[in-house]
Amino acid sequence: MSKSFCRAGLLVLCVGAFVSCSKSEKPSGESTDSVLRSTEEPIQKKSEEQEITLSREAISFARIAAKPLASQLFPDVIAAPGRVVPTQSGIAHVGSNLTGRVVKLYVKEGTVVLRGSPMAELQSFELSEIKSEYLNSHAEVLRTEKRLERQTQLSKENVGTKRDFEESESEHSQAIARRDAASSKLLALGIDSAKLENGSGISLTIRGPISGIVSRRLLGLGAYVEPNTDLFEVLDLSVVWVDAEVPTTVAGLLHAGGSGRFTTPEGTTESGKVVFVSPTADVVSHMVTVRLEVGNPTSRLKPESFGTTFFEISGPSKSGFVVPLSALEKVGESYFVYKQLTDTTFSRISVVVADQNALEALISSQDLSVNERVVSSGVFYLKAARLKDELQDND
């Protein structure tokens, strides 16, 4: 530690000596014009130092981007932590209604499936019994139908008795009811009774109830499964929910149909709308759940990932130049932005921040006008380049 202090002291002494020598070497016979020029040159140089020129390669590497300014309304925004969850219709637990053994698997975790596409095939003796039940009841319907037709004809000819006709009609109705019950069982298993040819088949195909991606496969080939046991989980992430927890005082300002945004830790922002505001607060945290529905066509947002949710609330109408917070450079209590002069040249402009929220700032400056381009990302790189130029000029 003592060596570091010694080095620092020597550095200060050297800088002081350099400054003293510079002052003592100033010519004593300067004219008034020379003195005026010496006071004017630093001012002109300071103005030039506000401009920064970078190569196109450096701009691309630093991902510097600029957007044109436009007068727009400045919304009041509140921020809250958010958690991504599937929608109620975006998650499906797939199982079997019958006991059986897995004889074929068509999908694995990560497989994209369509609604109705086969996922697994089970060997089930219960299915054989249901098929036989349907076929027997269908045969009974045909038999009683013929008998009813015969009794109807006899009644028309005043040959048959009323009792025989009523018995035939009752038997036929009962046969139809038994066939419909068996048909409903087959339909619940995804089998069309109209296409059923015989009762010998014992194979049951498990099909996807929704389109999506298989997130979990909970069985292997040869596994014995029972009814109401989850075999697969399918997720449709084309639309997701973001659940945010906000204080009760804030929840009163939000309503279903309002707008919001969700930003990931990587900086990606997706817009959405409020679909639910819980009418009650959590008994432990005393926070209110506000649900934001967000489009997710590329499945970039994953369930159980976290980020920051921003909600726009109604407030006093304000308008002006609105820039993202990433566009601002703060030095002490002063704020600056970088105006793009050409494709490779930028100028540092002092601005006044009239208001700001969790995402954006409302700024004003006499040096900015509509449609002029202001850097929205990459400000840190421009700041570093500016400081580097200043250090070189000082040297």
Side-chain angles (χ1 to χ4, degrees), residues 83-100:
R83 177 173 64 97
V84 179
V85 297
T87 64
Q88 289 180 343
S89 60
I91 182 170
H93 299 279
V94 187
S96 171
N97 293 329
L98 301 176
T99 58

Side-chain angles (χ1 to χ4, degrees), residues 344-387:
T344 58
T345 306
F346 305 86
S347 176
R348 185 171 181 251
I349 304 297
S350 175
V351 297
V352 175
V353 175
D355 199 356
Q356 69 180 63
N357 55 39
L359 286 175
E360 300 167 321
L362 181 66
I363 64 171
S364 62
S365 174
Q366 295 181 349
D367 297 322
L368 294 175
S369 58
V370 176
N371 292 330
E372 287 187 321
R373 300 179 65 84
V374 168
V375 174
S376 58
S377 62
V379 168
F380 178 80
Y381 189 90
L382 287 171
K383 178 181 177 181
R386 178 181 61 80
L387 293 175

Side-chain angles (χ1 to χ4, degrees), residues 74-78 311-318 355-358:
F74 180 73
D76 288 332
V77 177
I78 58 174
F311 299 101
E312 294 183 5
I313 59 176
S314 58
S317 178
K318 302 175 185 178
D355 199 356
Q356 69 180 63
N357 55 39

Side-chain angles (χ1 to χ4, degrees), residues 252-322:
L253 303 175
L254 302 175
H255 58 87
S259 59
R261 285 173 281 184
F262 177 70
T263 300
T264 65
E266 297 77 22
T268 303
T269 299
E270 301 291 345
S271 299
K273 67 175 182 178
V274 177
V275 294
F276 173 73
V277 178
S278 176
T280 61
D282 184 81
V283 295
V284 177
S285 64
H286 303 292
M287 304 291 277
V288 177
T289 299
V290 179
R291 181 165 291 161
L292 187 70
E293 187 174 271
V294 177
N296 189 35
T298 61
S299 299
R300 178 183 300 173
L301 302 179
K302 307 298 182 184
E304 300 306 322
S305 61
F306 292 84
T308 306
T309 310
F310 302 94
F311 299 101
E312 294 183 5
I313 59 176
S314 58
S317 178
K318 302 175 185 178
S319 63
F321 294 145
V322 179

